[in-house]
Amino acid sequence: MNRPLKRSLAACLIAVTVFTAAFSAFAFYFVKEAYRQEINTVINIAGAVLPENSNAEQPFLAAAKGETDTFETGSTILGKYGYNEHMRLLENSGYKKTVIILFAVTWGLWAVLTLFILAFFISIKRRQSRQEKSIAQVLEGYFSDDFSFLKDAEKQRLLLNQQFADTLFKLGRNLEHKSLLLAEEKNNTKSLVTDISHQLKTPIAALSTCLTVLSEADSQEQKTEFLARSLLQVDKLRLLADALMNVSRLEIGMISLQKERVNLSDLLVRAVNGIYDKSMKKNIAIETSDFKDLNLNLDPKWTAEAIMNVLDNALKYSPEHSKISIHVQPLYSYVRVEITDCGIGIEKSEQNKIFRRFYRGTAPEVKNSEGSGIGLYLTRRILEEQGGTISVKSEPGKGAAFILQLPL
């Protein structure tokens, strides 16, 4: 029995005992008061009668001590004035029996109450034991890797108080959810480390090869060539490191999107400026249809980068002297921004996969191009964090249309 329960039991027993003792004291006082009243009656009679009848003093004392047989005569005389034999309470056997019964009932009641309280607390103790056992079983299940015990939840519920059971099972479900999230986070972290290692191997290996050849080159021409190649690989590593940094910061919540009222035209201009040099090198025109300008509640920096990633992806897989179109359509609760290119297109089976972290398509053009498979993943995460979405419509060889939905 735990300490609070023991304290409650002790308090109840003390309360019952104090009440019984107080009641017994009151009964004893009542008897004593009755005896005192009887003595007062005798004293009053002696004071009224004996001074006028000094010869009656000895017989009176003998009668008061019960040494005479004059009870019936006295009872008859006093009966004329409304008195009866019950005025002599201490010598009334019925009264004595009443007092005895009163005490017996009082302490008998105390014994019954004591037993009832003990039984009550014993039942509470047994219920607590069952609850503790049930809680131990529930927690043991929730902290294990096997959650099949939830099928027996109703059996567990029968062992618990309803309200307490509901609270416990809500806690259990939260623990289960958090355990699954921790397991998922662990797997994601493992996958992230693996993916980063894979992404770094290629440029590091290429840089190592270039530096080895550079150190062994005999002619200045070879040194110049492989120095340029080394610098190119260093630049790729820098871009990859920046992308990986953004992914890791986004994954662990270090990137905090700060929403503010931003002009849609400004977002598009900022995104286009980020890939303008690349578009000029491939002579790819970026066209934007006329639209009614709007102010949106978005993070300007990261939303512009999300749009720029889509444009950069379109540039990468579009042929020279082609074009990229941006079409804006305001709708009821969001703005639809559609970016269309004339590139290689995307297989239907890969259209959902391209938004995964580090995923790159299986087309030869994709494998032969530089990339990390991070840009579209970042775009999806940035838009979803702000209540937006991104999807794609495409056919192989017919270009692709990326649909961005930005909340108003």
PDB file of all heavy atoms in Angstrom, residues 330-364:
ATOM      1  N   PRO A 330      -4.432  33.454 -61.598  1.00  0.00           N
ATOM      2  CA  PRO A 330      -5.016  33.595 -60.256  1.00  0.00           C
ATOM      3  C   PRO A 330      -6.313  32.782 -60.147  1.00  0.00           C
ATOM      4  O   PRO A 330      -7.174  32.857 -61.034  1.00  0.00           O
ATOM      5  CB  PRO A 330      -5.295  35.096 -60.137  1.00  0.00           C
ATOM      6  CG  PRO A 330      -4.505  35.742 -61.231  1.00  0.00           C
ATOM      7  CD  PRO A 330      -4.437  34.728 -62.335  1.00  0.00           C
ATOM      8  N   LEU A 331      -6.443  32.029 -59.077  1.00  0.00           N
ATOM      9  CA  LEU A 331      -7.655  31.255 -58.824  1.00  0.00           C
ATOM     10  C   LEU A 331      -8.250  31.681 -57.484  1.00  0.00           C
ATOM     11  O   LEU A 331      -7.865  32.696 -56.925  1.00  0.00           O
ATOM     12  CB  LEU A 331      -7.329  29.756 -58.863  1.00  0.00           C
ATOM     13  CG  LEU A 331      -6.832  29.243 -60.232  1.00  0.00           C
ATOM     14  CD1 LEU A 331      -6.400  27.800 -60.128  1.00  0.00           C
ATOM     15  CD2 LEU A 331      -7.912  29.402 -61.303  1.00  0.00           C
ATOM     16  N   TYR A 332      -9.204  30.864 -56.966  1.00  0.00           N
ATOM     17  CA  TYR A 332      -9.974  31.292 -55.794  1.00  0.00           C
ATOM     18  C   TYR A 332      -9.106  31.456 -54.550  1.00  0.00           C
ATOM     19  O   TYR A 332      -9.138  32.493 -53.886  1.00  0.00           O
ATOM     20  CB  TYR A 332     -11.097  30.293 -55.517  1.00  0.00           C
ATOM     21  CG  TYR A 332     -11.919  30.631 -54.311  1.00  0.00           C
ATOM     22  CD1 TYR A 332     -12.799  31.701 -54.323  1.00  0.00           C
ATOM     23  CD2 TYR A 332     -11.803  29.885 -53.138  1.00  0.00           C
ATOM     24  CE1 TYR A 332     -13.557  32.027 -53.217  1.00  0.00           C
ATOM     25  CE2 TYR A 332     -12.544  30.205 -52.015  1.00  0.00           C
ATOM     26  CZ  TYR A 332     -13.425  31.271 -52.070  1.00  0.00           C
ATOM     27  OH  TYR A 332     -14.162  31.593 -50.967  1.00  0.00           O
ATOM     28  N   SER A 333      -8.323  30.464 -54.225  1.00  0.00           N
ATOM     29  CA  SER A 333      -7.557  30.521 -52.976  1.00  0.00           C
ATOM     30  C   SER A 333      -6.055  30.409 -53.190  1.00  0.00           C
ATOM     31  O   SER A 333      -5.298  30.374 -52.236  1.00  0.00           O
ATOM     32  CB  SER A 333      -8.010  29.392 -52.034  1.00  0.00           C
ATOM     33  OG  SER A 333      -7.807  28.127 -52.637  1.00  0.00           O
ATOM     34  N   TYR A 334      -5.621  30.340 -54.444  1.00  0.00           N
ATOM     35  CA  TYR A 334      -4.190  30.246 -54.714  1.00  0.00           C
ATOM     36  C   TYR A 334      -3.905  30.768 -56.120  1.00  0.00           C
ATOM     37  O   TYR A 334      -4.818  31.015 -56.927  1.00  0.00           O
ATOM     38  CB  TYR A 334      -3.690  28.807 -54.561  1.00  0.00           C
ATOM     39  CG  TYR A 334      -4.373  27.810 -55.476  1.00  0.00           C
ATOM     40  CD1 TYR A 334      -3.870  27.555 -56.758  1.00  0.00           C
ATOM     41  CD2 TYR A 334      -5.515  27.138 -55.065  1.00  0.00           C
ATOM     42  CE1 TYR A 334      -4.494  26.655 -57.596  1.00  0.00           C
ATOM     43  CE2 TYR A 334      -6.148  26.231 -55.900  1.00  0.00           C
ATOM     44  CZ  TYR A 334      -5.635  25.995 -57.163  1.00  0.00           C
ATOM     45  OH  TYR A 334      -6.245  25.101 -58.006  1.00  0.00           O
ATOM     46  N   VAL A 335      -2.628  30.933 -56.398  1.00  0.00           N
ATOM     47  CA  VAL A 335      -2.163  31.363 -57.723  1.00  0.00           C
ATOM     48  C   VAL A 335      -1.459  30.185 -58.381  1.00  0.00           C
ATOM     49  O   VAL A 335      -0.585  29.560 -57.778  1.00  0.00           O
ATOM     50  CB  VAL A 335      -1.210  32.568 -57.623  1.00  0.00           C
ATOM     51  CG1 VAL A 335      -0.696  32.946 -59.011  1.00  0.00           C
ATOM     52  CG2 VAL A 335      -1.908  33.748 -56.982  1.00  0.00           C
ATOM     53  N   ARG A 336      -1.839  29.907 -59.601  1.00  0.00           N
ATOM     54  CA  ARG A 336      -1.225  28.809 -60.360  1.00  0.00           C
ATOM     55  C   ARG A 336      -0.134  29.397 -61.260  1.00  0.00           C
ATOM     56  O   ARG A 336      -0.400  30.250 -62.111  1.00  0.00           O
ATOM     57  CB  ARG A 336      -2.289  28.107 -61.196  1.00  0.00           C
ATOM     58  CG  ARG A 336      -1.769  27.002 -62.113  1.00  0.00           C
ATOM     59  CD  ARG A 336      -2.913  26.556 -63.019  1.00  0.00           C
ATOM     60  NE  ARG A 336      -2.464  25.643 -64.054  1.00  0.00           N
ATOM     61  CZ  ARG A 336      -2.642  24.327 -64.024  1.00  0.00           C
ATOM     62  NH1 ARG A 336      -3.277  23.780 -63.000  1.00  0.00           N
ATOM     63  NH2 ARG A 336      -2.225  23.549 -65.011  1.00  0.00           N
ATOM     64  N   VAL A 337       1.096  28.935 -61.038  1.00  0.00           N
ATOM     65  CA  VAL A 337       2.225  29.357 -61.873  1.00  0.00           C
ATOM     66  C   VAL A 337       2.714  28.125 -62.627  1.00  0.00           C
ATOM     67  O   VAL A 337       3.202  27.168 -62.025  1.00  0.00           O
ATOM     68  CB  VAL A 337       3.363  29.953 -61.019  1.00  0.00           C
ATOM     69  CG1 VAL A 337       4.542  30.340 -61.906  1.00  0.00           C
ATOM     70  CG2 VAL A 337       2.874  31.154 -60.227  1.00  0.00           C
ATOM     71  N   GLU A 338       2.572  28.165 -63.951  1.00  0.00           N
ATOM     72  CA  GLU A 338       2.949  27.019 -64.771  1.00  0.00           C
ATOM     73  C   GLU A 338       4.198  27.359 -65.579  1.00  0.00           C
ATOM     74  O   GLU A 338       4.230  28.351 -66.334  1.00  0.00           O
ATOM     75  CB  GLU A 338       1.809  26.629 -65.713  1.00  0.00           C
ATOM     76  CG  GLU A 338       2.096  25.377 -66.514  1.00  0.00           C
ATOM     77  CD  GLU A 338       0.873  24.866 -67.272  1.00  0.00           C
ATOM     78  OE1 GLU A 338      -0.261  25.079 -66.780  1.00  0.00           O
ATOM     79  OE2 GLU A 338       1.049  24.277 -68.358  1.00  0.00           O
ATOM     80  N   ILE A 339       5.237  26.544 -65.421  1.00  0.00           N
ATOM     81  CA  ILE A 339       6.510  26.744 -66.114  1.00  0.00           C
ATOM     82  C   ILE A 339       6.670  25.603 -67.114  1.00  0.00           C
ATOM     83  O   ILE A 339       6.784  24.434 -66.729  1.00  0.00           O
ATOM     84  CB  ILE A 339       7.685  26.779 -65.128  1.00  0.00           C
ATOM     85  CG1 ILE A 339       7.493  27.931 -64.127  1.00  0.00           C
ATOM     86  CG2 ILE A 339       9.008  26.901 -65.858  1.00  0.00           C
ATOM     87  CD1 ILE A 339       8.527  27.965 -63.023  1.00  0.00           C
ATOM     88  N   THR A 340       6.677  25.942 -68.402  1.00  0.00           N
ATOM     89  CA  THR A 340       6.707  24.946 -69.478  1.00  0.00           C
ATOM     90  C   THR A 340       8.016  25.059 -70.245  1.00  0.00           C
ATOM     91  O   THR A 340       8.465  26.162 -70.579  1.00  0.00           O
ATOM     92  CB  THR A 340       5.530  25.161 -70.440  1.00  0.00           C
ATOM     93  OG1 THR A 340       4.315  25.193 -69.699  1.00  0.00           O
ATOM     94  CG2 THR A 340       5.461  24.054 -71.473  1.00  0.00           C
ATOM     95  N   ASP A 341       8.632  23.894 -70.534  1.00  0.00           N
ATOM     96  CA  ASP A 341       9.868  23.877 -71.309  1.00  0.00           C
ATOM     97  C   ASP A 341       9.707  22.992 -72.542  1.00  0.00           C
ATOM     98  O   ASP A 341       8.676  22.355 -72.744  1.00  0.00           O
ATOM     99  CB  ASP A 341      11.049  23.418 -70.447  1.00  0.00           C
ATOM    100  CG  ASP A 341      10.887  22.005 -69.924  1.00  0.00           C
ATOM    101  OD1 ASP A 341      10.568  21.103 -70.739  1.00  0.00           O
ATOM    102  OD2 ASP A 341      11.076  21.784 -68.704  1.00  0.00           O
ATOM    103  N   CYS A 342      10.756  22.963 -73.353  1.00  0.00           N
ATOM    104  CA  CYS A 342      10.769  22.142 -74.571  1.00  0.00           C
ATOM    105  C   CYS A 342      11.831  21.056 -74.454  1.00  0.00           C
ATOM    106  O   CYS A 342      12.513  20.702 -75.445  1.00  0.00           O
ATOM    107  CB  CYS A 342      11.051  23.023 -75.797  1.00  0.00           C
ATOM    108  SG  CYS A 342       9.871  24.366 -76.047  1.00  0.00           S
ATOM    109  N   GLY A 343      12.005  20.549 -73.270  1.00  0.00           N
ATOM    110  CA  GLY A 343      13.083  19.608 -72.997  1.00  0.00           C
ATOM    111  C   GLY A 343      12.771  18.175 -73.350  1.00  0.00           C
ATOM    112  O   GLY A 343      11.878  17.870 -74.146  1.00  0.00           O
ATOM    113  N   ILE A 344      13.487  17.257 -72.683  1.00  0.00           N
ATOM    114  CA  ILE A 344      13.428  15.831 -73.013  1.00  0.00           C
ATOM    115  C   ILE A 344      12.180  15.156 -72.475  1.00  0.00           C
ATOM    116  O   ILE A 344      11.864  14.030 -72.859  1.00  0.00           O
ATOM    117  CB  ILE A 344      14.673  15.110 -72.458  1.00  0.00           C
ATOM    118  CG1 ILE A 344      14.732  15.260 -70.915  1.00  0.00           C
ATOM    119  CG2 ILE A 344      15.941  15.663 -73.084  1.00  0.00           C
ATOM    120  CD1 ILE A 344      15.871  14.497 -70.255  1.00  0.00           C
ATOM    121  N   GLY A 345      11.460  15.823 -71.563  1.00  0.00           N
ATOM    122  CA  GLY A 345      10.270  15.215 -70.984  1.00  0.00           C
ATOM    123  C   GLY A 345      10.614  14.234 -69.875  1.00  0.00           C
ATOM    124  O   GLY A 345      11.787  13.919 -69.617  1.00  0.00           O
ATOM    125  N   ILE A 346       9.573  13.740 -69.232  1.00  0.00           N
ATOM    126  CA  ILE A 346       9.758  12.854 -68.076  1.00  0.00           C
ATOM    127  C   ILE A 346       8.810  11.664 -68.213  1.00  0.00           C
ATOM    128  O   ILE A 346       7.621  11.833 -68.522  1.00  0.00           O
ATOM    129  CB  ILE A 346       9.461  13.590 -66.753  1.00  0.00           C
ATOM    130  CG1 ILE A 346      10.317  14.861 -66.655  1.00  0.00           C
ATOM    131  CG2 ILE A 346       9.714  12.690 -65.546  1.00  0.00           C
ATOM    132  CD1 ILE A 346       9.893  15.785 -65.539  1.00  0.00           C
ATOM    133  N   GLU A 347       9.339  10.475 -68.004  1.00  0.00           N
ATOM    134  CA  GLU A 347       8.496   9.278 -68.018  1.00  0.00           C
ATOM    135  C   GLU A 347       7.430   9.370 -66.923  1.00  0.00           C
ATOM    136  O   GLU A 347       7.676   9.915 -65.842  1.00  0.00           O
ATOM    137  CB  GLU A 347       9.345   8.025 -67.787  1.00  0.00           C
ATOM    138  CG  GLU A 347      10.305   7.679 -68.905  1.00  0.00           C
ATOM    139  CD  GLU A 347       9.599   7.043 -70.102  1.00  0.00           C
ATOM    140  OE1 GLU A 347       8.388   6.720 -69.989  1.00  0.00           O
ATOM    141  OE2 GLU A 347      10.252   6.902 -71.147  1.00  0.00           O
ATOM    142  N   LYS A 348       6.253   8.836 -67.210  1.00  0.00           N
ATOM    143  CA  LYS A 348       5.157   8.894 -66.242  1.00  0.00           C
ATOM    144  C   LYS A 348       5.525   8.209 -64.933  1.00  0.00           C
ATOM    145  O   LYS A 348       5.136   8.652 -63.849  1.00  0.00           O
ATOM    146  CB  LYS A 348       3.901   8.258 -66.840  1.00  0.00           C
ATOM    147  CG  LYS A 348       2.666   8.434 -65.983  1.00  0.00           C
ATOM    148  CD  LYS A 348       1.427   7.900 -66.686  1.00  0.00           C
ATOM    149  CE  LYS A 348       0.179   8.128 -65.819  1.00  0.00           C
ATOM    150  NZ  LYS A 348      -1.047   7.622 -66.504  1.00  0.00           N
ATOM    151  N   SER A 349       6.281   7.123 -65.008  1.00  0.00           N
ATOM    152  CA  SER A 349       6.661   6.375 -63.805  1.00  0.00           C
ATOM    153  C   SER A 349       7.614   7.157 -62.914  1.00  0.00           C
ATOM    154  O   SER A 349       7.806   6.815 -61.743  1.00  0.00           O
ATOM    155  CB  SER A 349       7.305   5.043 -64.201  1.00  0.00           C
ATOM    156  OG  SER A 349       8.474   5.277 -64.984  1.00  0.00           O
ATOM    157  N   GLU A 350       8.241   8.204 -63.464  1.00  0.00           N
ATOM    158  CA  GLU A 350       9.210   8.975 -62.693  1.00  0.00           C
ATOM    159  C   GLU A 350       8.693  10.338 -62.256  1.00  0.00           C
ATOM    160  O   GLU A 350       9.391  11.069 -61.555  1.00  0.00           O
ATOM    161  CB  GLU A 350      10.487   9.181 -63.530  1.00  0.00           C
ATOM    162  CG  GLU A 350      11.225   7.892 -63.838  1.00  0.00           C
ATOM    163  CD  GLU A 350      12.502   8.146 -64.609  1.00  0.00           C
ATOM    164  OE1 GLU A 350      12.580   9.205 -65.268  1.00  0.00           O
ATOM    165  OE2 GLU A 350      13.418   7.319 -64.544  1.00  0.00           O
ATOM    166  N   GLN A 351       7.465  10.682 -62.636  1.00  0.00           N
ATOM    167  CA  GLN A 351       6.987  12.038 -62.404  1.00  0.00           C
ATOM    168  C   GLN A 351       6.797  12.369 -60.930  1.00  0.00           C
ATOM    169  O   GLN A 351       6.879  13.540 -60.542  1.00  0.00           O
ATOM    170  CB  GLN A 351       5.685  12.266 -63.185  1.00  0.00           C
ATOM    171  CG  GLN A 351       5.921  12.334 -64.676  1.00  0.00           C
ATOM    172  CD  GLN A 351       4.649  12.536 -65.479  1.00  0.00           C
ATOM    173  OE1 GLN A 351       3.586  12.840 -64.907  1.00  0.00           O
ATOM    174  NE2 GLN A 351       4.722  12.367 -66.787  1.00  0.00           N
ATOM    175  N   ASN A 352       6.527  11.384 -60.099  1.00  0.00           N
ATOM    176  CA  ASN A 352       6.451  11.625 -58.652  1.00  0.00           C
ATOM    177  C   ASN A 352       7.814  11.473 -57.975  1.00  0.00           C
ATOM    178  O   ASN A 352       8.065  12.068 -56.927  1.00  0.00           O
ATOM    179  CB  ASN A 352       5.449  10.665 -58.007  1.00  0.00           C
ATOM    180  CG  ASN A 352       4.014  10.997 -58.365  1.00  0.00           C
ATOM    181  OD1 ASN A 352       3.671  12.160 -58.559  1.00  0.00           O
ATOM    182  ND2 ASN A 352       3.169   9.979 -58.468  1.00  0.00           N
ATOM    183  N   LYS A 353       8.693  10.694 -58.575  1.00  0.00           N
ATOM    184  CA  LYS A 353       9.994  10.427 -57.965  1.00  0.00           C
ATOM    185  C   LYS A 353      10.950  11.612 -58.068  1.00  0.00           C
ATOM    186  O   LYS A 353      11.866  11.737 -57.249  1.00  0.00           O
ATOM    187  CB  LYS A 353      10.633   9.208 -58.631  1.00  0.00           C
ATOM    188  CG  LYS A 353       9.846   7.916 -58.439  1.00  0.00           C
ATOM    189  CD  LYS A 353      10.525   6.760 -59.164  1.00  0.00           C
ATOM    190  CE  LYS A 353       9.726   5.475 -59.015  1.00  0.00           C
ATOM    191  NZ  LYS A 353      10.355   4.354 -59.765  1.00  0.00           N
ATOM    192  N   ILE A 354      10.762  12.472 -59.090  1.00  0.00           N
ATOM    193  CA  ILE A 354      11.736  13.544 -59.302  1.00  0.00           C
ATOM    194  C   ILE A 354      11.736  14.561 -58.169  1.00  0.00           C
ATOM    195  O   ILE A 354      12.676  15.355 -58.057  1.00  0.00           O
ATOM    196  CB  ILE A 354      11.463  14.270 -60.640  1.00  0.00           C
ATOM    197  CG1 ILE A 354      10.071  14.910 -60.630  1.00  0.00           C
ATOM    198  CG2 ILE A 354      11.633  13.307 -61.809  1.00  0.00           C
ATOM    199  CD1 ILE A 354       9.796  15.763 -61.844  1.00  0.00           C
ATOM    200  N   PHE A 355      10.702  14.539 -57.313  1.00  0.00           N
ATOM    201  CA  PHE A 355      10.651  15.488 -56.188  1.00  0.00           C
ATOM    202  C   PHE A 355      11.237  14.889 -54.912  1.00  0.00           C
ATOM    203  O   PHE A 355      11.190  15.508 -53.859  1.00  0.00           O
ATOM    204  CB  PHE A 355       9.208  15.933 -55.938  1.00  0.00           C
ATOM    205  CG  PHE A 355       8.594  16.642 -57.114  1.00  0.00           C
ATOM    206  CD1 PHE A 355       7.634  16.015 -57.887  1.00  0.00           C
ATOM    207  CD2 PHE A 355       8.996  17.923 -57.458  1.00  0.00           C
ATOM    208  CE1 PHE A 355       7.069  16.657 -58.979  1.00  0.00           C
ATOM    209  CE2 PHE A 355       8.441  18.577 -58.547  1.00  0.00           C
ATOM    210  CZ  PHE A 355       7.472  17.941 -59.316  1.00  0.00           C
ATOM    211  N   ARG A 356      11.782  13.672 -55.040  1.00  0.00           N
ATOM    212  CA  ARG A 356      12.437  13.053 -53.890  1.00  0.00           C
ATOM    213  C   ARG A 356      13.862  13.578 -53.759  1.00  0.00           C
ATOM    214  O   ARG A 356      14.483  14.007 -54.732  1.00  0.00           O
ATOM    215  CB  ARG A 356      12.472  11.533 -54.044  1.00  0.00           C
ATOM    216  CG  ARG A 356      11.098  10.875 -54.055  1.00  0.00           C
ATOM    217  CD  ARG A 356      11.256   9.375 -54.259  1.00  0.00           C
ATOM    218  NE  ARG A 356       9.967   8.703 -54.347  1.00  0.00           N
ATOM    219  CZ  ARG A 356       9.841   7.401 -54.637  1.00  0.00           C
ATOM    220  NH1 ARG A 356      10.926   6.663 -54.856  1.00  0.00           N
ATOM    221  NH2 ARG A 356       8.632   6.863 -54.713  1.00  0.00           N
ATOM    222  N   ARG A 357      14.377  13.473 -52.553  1.00  0.00           N
ATOM    223  CA  ARG A 357      15.731  13.935 -52.286  1.00  0.00           C
ATOM    224  C   ARG A 357      16.758  13.073 -53.017  1.00  0.00           C
ATOM    225  O   ARG A 357      16.721  11.842 -52.940  1.00  0.00           O
ATOM    226  CB  ARG A 357      15.978  13.883 -50.779  1.00  0.00           C
ATOM    227  CG  ARG A 357      17.319  14.418 -50.327  1.00  0.00           C
ATOM    228  CD  ARG A 357      17.443  14.271 -48.831  1.00  0.00           C
ATOM    229  NE  ARG A 357      17.352  12.884 -48.426  1.00  0.00           N
ATOM    230  CZ  ARG A 357      17.051  12.484 -47.199  1.00  0.00           C
ATOM    231  NH1 ARG A 357      16.773  13.368 -46.266  1.00  0.00           N
ATOM    232  NH2 ARG A 357      17.016  11.196 -46.904  1.00  0.00           N
ATOM    233  N   PHE A 358      17.658  13.721 -53.781  1.00  0.00           N
ATOM    234  CA  PHE A 358      18.761  13.096 -54.501  1.00  0.00           C
ATOM    235  C   PHE A 358      18.321  12.184 -55.653  1.00  0.00           C
ATOM    236  O   PHE A 358      19.137  11.428 -56.175  1.00  0.00           O
ATOM    237  CB  PHE A 358      19.678  12.290 -53.553  1.00  0.00           C
ATOM    238  CG  PHE A 358      20.305  13.111 -52.479  1.00  0.00           C
ATOM    239  CD1 PHE A 358      20.007  12.872 -51.142  1.00  0.00           C
ATOM    240  CD2 PHE A 358      21.177  14.128 -52.782  1.00  0.00           C
ATOM    241  CE1 PHE A 358      20.579  13.642 -50.144  1.00  0.00           C
ATOM    242  CE2 PHE A 358      21.753  14.892 -51.784  1.00  0.00           C
ATOM    243  CZ  PHE A 358      21.455  14.649 -50.466  1.00  0.00           C
ATOM    244  N   TYR A 359      17.050  12.230 -56.028  1.00  0.00           N
ATOM    245  CA  TYR A 359      16.623  11.358 -57.126  1.00  0.00           C
ATOM    246  C   TYR A 359      16.966  12.001 -58.469  1.00  0.00           C
ATOM    247  O   TYR A 359      16.726  13.196 -58.680  1.00  0.00           O
ATOM    248  CB  TYR A 359      15.123  11.093 -57.072  1.00  0.00           C
ATOM    249  CG  TYR A 359      14.659  10.168 -58.187  1.00  0.00           C
ATOM    250  CD1 TYR A 359      14.788   8.797 -58.065  1.00  0.00           C
ATOM    251  CD2 TYR A 359      14.133  10.694 -59.368  1.00  0.00           C
ATOM    252  CE1 TYR A 359      14.403   7.950 -59.091  1.00  0.00           C
ATOM    253  CE2 TYR A 359      13.736   9.852 -60.403  1.00  0.00           C
ATOM    254  CZ  TYR A 359      13.877   8.491 -60.256  1.00  0.00           C
ATOM    255  OH  TYR A 359      13.488   7.652 -61.277  1.00  0.00           O
ATOM    256  N   ARG A 360      17.514  11.185 -59.369  1.00  0.00           N
ATOM    257  CA  ARG A 360      17.772  11.632 -60.738  1.00  0.00           C
ATOM    258  C   ARG A 360      17.181  10.597 -61.682  1.00  0.00           C
ATOM    259  O   ARG A 360      17.189   9.398 -61.425  1.00  0.00           O
ATOM    260  CB  ARG A 360      19.271  11.793 -60.993  1.00  0.00           C
ATOM    261  CG  ARG A 360      19.939  12.757 -60.016  1.00  0.00           C
ATOM    262  CD  ARG A 360      21.275  13.218 -60.529  1.00  0.00           C
ATOM    263  NE  ARG A 360      21.106  14.092 -61.695  1.00  0.00           N
ATOM    264  CZ  ARG A 360      22.047  14.267 -62.630  1.00  0.00           C
ATOM    265  NH1 ARG A 360      23.195  13.626 -62.541  1.00  0.00           N
ATOM    266  NH2 ARG A 360      21.824  15.075 -63.647  1.00  0.00           N
ATOM    267  N   GLY A 361      16.657  11.076 -62.796  1.00  0.00           N
ATOM    268  CA  GLY A 361      15.976  10.197 -63.745  1.00  0.00           C
ATOM    269  C   GLY A 361      16.906   9.189 -64.398  1.00  0.00           C
ATOM    270  O   GLY A 361      18.137   9.255 -64.283  1.00  0.00           O
ATOM    271  N   THR A 362      16.287   8.288 -65.122  1.00  0.00           N
ATOM    272  CA  THR A 362      17.035   7.203 -65.769  1.00  0.00           C
ATOM    273  C   THR A 362      17.378   7.510 -67.222  1.00  0.00           C
ATOM    274  O   THR A 362      18.085   6.729 -67.866  1.00  0.00           O
ATOM    275  CB  THR A 362      16.220   5.902 -65.704  1.00  0.00           C
ATOM    276  OG1 THR A 362      14.941   6.126 -66.342  1.00  0.00           O
ATOM    277  CG2 THR A 362      16.001   5.475 -64.262  1.00  0.00           C
ATOM    278  N   ALA A 363      16.882   8.613 -67.749  1.00  0.00           N
ATOM    279  CA  ALA A 363      17.167   8.965 -69.148  1.00  0.00           C
ATOM    280  C   ALA A 363      18.656   9.223 -69.335  1.00  0.00           C
ATOM    281  O   ALA A 363      19.317   9.767 -68.442  1.00  0.00           O
ATOM    282  CB  ALA A 363      16.351  10.188 -69.567  1.00  0.00           C
ATOM    283  N   PRO A 364      19.207   8.851 -70.490  1.00  0.00           N
ATOM    284  CA  PRO A 364      20.648   9.075 -70.736  1.00  0.00           C
ATOM    285  C   PRO A 364      21.050  10.535 -70.603  1.00  0.00           C
ATOM    286  O   PRO A 364      22.144  10.842 -70.103  1.00  0.00           O
ATOM    287  CB  PRO A 364      20.836   8.579 -72.177  1.00  0.00           C
ATOM    288  CG  PRO A 364      19.719   7.614 -72.393  1.00  0.00           C
ATOM    289  CD  PRO A 364      18.558   8.135 -71.600  1.00  0.00           C
TER     290      PRO A 364
END
